[in-house]
Amino acid sequence: MTNNKTHCFTCNKDKITYLCEGCLKNFCLMDLTKHRQILNEELHRIITDYNQFKQTFNEQKPNPHDLFLIDQINQWKIDSIEKIQQKAKDCIEIVIKSSQTFFNDIKMKFNDLNKQLKQIHNENEFNEINLNYLRNQLIKIREELNNPPKTSIQQDSHPFINEISIISLKKKPKFNKWKQNGITVAGRNRQGQELNQLNRPHGISIDKKKNIFIADWLNHRIVEWKQNAEEGQIIAGGNKQENRINHLNSPTDVIVDQQNHSIIIADSGNRRVIQWMNQKQQILIHNIHCHGLAMDKHGFLYVSDSEKNEVRRWKMGEYNSEGIVVAGGNGRGNQLNQFNSPTFIFVDEHQSVYVSDQHNHRVMKWRKDAKEGRIVAGGNGYRRNLNQLSRPQGVIVDHFGHIYVADGGNHRVMRWCEGKEEGEVVVGENGLGNRSNQLYLPCGLSFDDDGNLYVADSGNYRIQKFQIIL
């Protein structure tokens, strides 16, 4: 019996196990039952999603854009028919007029000949020359009548109506590119605490006006840099490293809550999430080793806890509760339901949570209500190969589902397409350094509305903007 025992993937014990043909992992009987239960729950979620989509599909109305196209086609038909009818009318008139002109000309010649015949006959003065002339004139008139001018239709190779066709434009994923030389838009003056300096910037957020909000980590403050400004403005903290309500201690991330015109800060050193609104402070969440923040379209707040190795979600206005664990929460580890010091997070429109799993050197995606995550970037050690990450930090996802990761230990920003075995370098291909085409410990990431990429270049104490190539 001992020889028949193998290692169970879930409980890490040597037991009689059974192979799951889907994930090719061995489970003991108890954990296999749990594994099948998770798969069954996933199937029910898919069925629920299908039924919701079916209801939406059945309620689908004609696309207004399609109706607009049909109206355009009908108008083209009316305009084209009018042109064709007018052209046909003009051509018929030309044919009738040409034929009438020919007969009128013959008639005039015939009448003239008739007058000459009558005159000669009445005067009774004629000879052979007169008769030959009259005979020849009659022959010419007869021949002309029997051989009218030939008329034909000539078709122009260029149509006189505008031809139309229908072109179906399928939306294809767009792989954007950015200029490799970044522009320093904040912190151009090395390390320091002056208003034109930064000290290890971490998380960043860009508002609609392209103002940059920076978690200035070792300066214990949040700084706002307006577009094209030479220096920033302290909007939170900056009063030394303390735990008073108007102080910050090593803030790691900041998000702009545009609905409430406030900022929410991961005040990591003080183990709290705090909201600043018009210089007034409110502690939202206590006793949490927070690092990354995110807010979804429904206003739910997500916070990563690098100590408990989990991500929790809070409903707006219900911050006194413990929140709900939406990712991790199963202790420190490298299993699919675990993290090892999660940092930055991103939440998409489907409430899937993307987590930079720092010391597992990977990015995980947890679908809503999932019991475990999936590796969507890295997870193959911490070297510089294209299928690897090293201490990943900031993570954002674009509208096409492409995942962008600040690959901190490799001093670059990577793009991964879900399901691919490896990613590609977006910026920072030139290794560690402080030149405009280099990065040093990149941390936070953000896009503006134009698609320009902003990187908190932490080791160089600056924020770099990489312009999109249109």
Side-chain angles (χ1 to χ4, degrees), residues 80-98:
S80 297
I81 290 173
E82 288 179 355
K83 287 183 179 180
I84 292 172
Q85 289 175 334
Q86 186 61 47
K87 187 69 175 179
K89 181 180 178 182
D90 294 343
C91 289
I92 290 171
E93 288 180 355
I94 291 172
V95 170
I96 293 173
K97 187 176 180 180
S98 175

Side-chain angles (χ1 to χ4, degrees), residues 42 83 126 173 176 181 207 270 284 292 299 336 343 398 404 433 460:
E42 182 69 15
K83 287 183 179 180
F126 54 89
N176 292 327
N181 291 305
D207 69 8
N270 286 325
L284 302 181
L336 294 180
T343 57
D398 66 16
Y404 297 80
N460 285 321

Side-chain angles (χ1 to χ4, degrees), residues 44-205:
H44 282 294
R45 279 194 294 272
I46 294 173
I47 293 172
T48 300
D49 290 345
Y50 168 79
N51 289 332
Q52 290 176 349
F53 174 74
K54 181 180 178 181
Q55 181 178 354
T56 303
F57 180 78
N58 290 335
E59 296 172 354
Q60 192 75 19
K61 296 180 180 179
N63 190 332
H65 182 64
D66 291 345
L67 296 176
F68 173 70
L69 291 178
I70 292 172
D71 288 341
Q72 282 188 308
I73 294 170
N74 285 329
Q75 188 60 49
W76 170 84
K77 180 178 70 173
I78 293 170
D79 294 342
S80 297
I81 290 173
E82 288 179 355
K83 287 183 179 180
I84 292 172
Q85 289 175 334
Q86 186 61 47
K87 187 69 175 179
K89 181 180 178 182
D90 294 343
C91 289
I92 290 171
E93 288 180 355
I94 291 172
V95 170
I96 293 173
K97 187 176 180 180
S98 175
S99 178
Q100 191 64 46
T101 301
F102 169 72
F103 280 106
N104 289 340
D105 186 49
I106 294 293
K107 186 177 181 180
M108 289 177 60
K109 292 179 180 179
F110 186 78
N111 290 335
D112 185 58
L113 181 60
N114 184 43
K115 289 179 181 180
Q116 294 181 55
L117 284 172
K118 287 182 177 180
Q119 182 181 356
I120 292 174
H121 185 265
N122 291 334
E123 293 178 354
N124 201 22
E125 291 183 0
F126 54 89
N127 54 35
E128 286 83 359
I129 296 174
N130 300 121
L131 295 176
N132 285 332
Y133 169 77
L134 295 173
R135 188 182 295 108
N136 290 333
Q137 286 297 104
L138 182 60
I139 292 171
K140 284 181 180 181
I141 294 173
R142 187 184 291 117
E143 288 178 350
E144 193 172 347
L145 180 62
N146 293 331
N147 294 284
K150 292 184 178 179
T151 305
S152 62
I153 296 175
Q154 179 180 357
Q155 293 187 349
D156 196 343
S157 60
H158 300 286
F160 63 91
I161 61 170
N162 294 323
E163 294 184 357
I164 63 171
S165 58
I166 304 300
I167 301 173
S168 178
L169 298 175
K170 292 185 178 180
K171 193 174 183 181
K172 296 181 179 179
K174 183 180 180 182
F175 291 91
N176 292 327
K177 292 186 178 181
W178 292 265
K179 294 180 180 179
Q180 294 302 297
N181 291 305
I183 301 170
T184 302
V185 292
R188 304 179 180 86
N189 301 281
R190 300 184 179 180
Q191 178 184 11
Q193 59 183 1
E194 301 298 325
L195 292 179
N196 62 354
Q197 294 178 309
L198 297 171
N199 193 353
R200 295 285 184 177
H202 270 48
I204 56 176
S205 184

Side-chain angles (χ1 to χ4, degrees), residues 246-261:
N246 63 339
H247 288 65
L248 297 175
N249 184 356
S250 305
T252 51
D253 203 4
V254 56
I255 56 176
V256 180
D257 183 359
Q258 299 191 19
Q259 183 175 350
N260 294 315
H261 305 288

